[in-house]
Amino acid sequence: MRMTRKPYDSDLTDEQWEQIREFVPEPQSGPQVPKYERREIFNAVLYQKRTGCQWRYLPHDFPPWQLVAKYFYQWTGDCLFEDINDALRKGVRARCGRDGEPSLGMIDSQSVKTTESGGPRGFDAGKKVKGRKRDVLVEVLGLLVALWITPASVQDLDAVPTLPNDARVESARLANVLVDGAYTT
C-alpha cells in the first residue's frame, strides 16, 4: 500500500529512508502480501516517539497501532535503532574526514522528571528531580555512542564503570573518555 496521506513533520524524507532502508527487515514471508510498507510503519514509530502519544492514539492514516507497536518492540529487541545510529554516526564521521570509530568520548548526565509508569525512577537530591537520569557518552562531533538510563537517584560516579564499557563494545578504538567533576572520586 503506497503512502497517499499528507506527510507529518516526523516522516522520513526519501533521502533519509534510502540511508536506513537496508537496516529495516522485510516482513516475514507468508501466504499474504504485506499490506503496509516498512517505511510507513517506521514513520508511525517516529511519529509516536516524537509526539509521545499512546500507541492507540496514532492517527488513523498510519497502519494499525497494534501492528506499529509490535514492530517497534521487535525492532527494539533486535537492536535495530542502535544499528542505525552506529551506521549513521560512522557515515557522518567519514564525511568529516575522521575514522568511523571514535577514540575520544565525553560523558555527561541529565536528570528528567517522569511519571510513575515506564520503569523505575528515583530522586536526584542535587537537582531536586524525581525521575530518571540519562548518562550519555558522545564523541567529539557530539554524536551518540552510548546511553545509560537509570533512576535519578543513581550517582554519576556509579555510571562510570558501565557506560565506557558499553561504549567500547560499540567502538573498539575508544581509548579516552572525558568527564566532569561529578564522575570523579
Side-chain angles (χ1 to χ4, degrees):
M1 182 164 137
R2 299 287 308 161
M3 181 178 87
T4 57
R5 62 177 174 76
K6 183 179 176 185
Y8 292 99
D9 290 342
S10 58
D11 285 356
L12 294 169
T13 65
D14 291 341
E15 181 183 345
Q16 290 168 331
W17 174 245
E18 287 306 315
Q19 290 180 357
I20 69 164
R21 79 179 304 155
E22 69 184 71
F23 295 97
V24 183
E26 295 284 346
Q28 294 179 348
S29 60
Q32 294 181 336
V33 175
K35 189 174 180 181
Y36 302 98
E37 293 181 17
R38 296 175 303 148
R39 181 176 177 176
E40 268 304 90
I41 295 168
F42 204 91
N43 280 334
V45 168
L46 292 177
Y47 180 91
Q48 192 274 336
K49 294 302 160 196
R50 180 67 181 116
T51 64
C53 73
Q54 295 175 357
W55 287 114
R56 66 179 60 249
Y57 289 117
L58 279 174
H60 294 290
D61 49 1
F62 280 127
W65 70 266
Q66 298 93 329
L67 179 71
V68 175
K70 177 191 133 202
Y71 273 102
F72 170 74
Y73 292 116
Q74 178 183 333
W75 291 340
T76 299
D78 294 341
C79 299
L80 172 77
F81 303 106
E82 289 90 341
D83 292 344
I84 290 171
N85 180 71
D86 292 345
L88 293 175
R89 182 185 65 242
K90 288 174 185 175
V92 169
R93 289 182 57 82
R95 284 191 298 281
C96 291
R98 295 180 174 273
D99 188 286
E101 298 292 341
S103 61
L104 176 66
M106 295 153 279
I107 299 177
D108 205 355
S109 69
Q110 178 185 35
S111 295
V112 292
K113 292 181 185 179
T114 59
T115 63
E116 292 180 16
S117 64
R121 64 187 190 142
F123 184 73
D124 182 339
K127 304 263 172 69
K128 309 287 190 250
V129 171
K130 184 168 181 111
R132 292 186 193 88
K133 184 176 285 187
R134 300 183 282 220
D135 288 278
V136 181
L137 191 147
V138 297
E139 47 84 66
V140 296
L141 298 175
L143 304 172
L144 181 67
V145 176
L147 173 69
W148 196 44
I149 299 176
T150 63
S153 55
V154 173
Q155 298 300 310
D156 290 346
L157 184 59
D158 296 331
V160 170
T162 303
L163 198 56
N165 290 335
D166 291 348
R168 282 190 188 94
V169 170
E170 301 300 326
S171 176
R173 281 188 74 231
L174 191 65
N176 297 300
V177 177
L178 304 176
V179 298
D180 64 20
Y183 292 93
T184 59
T185 55

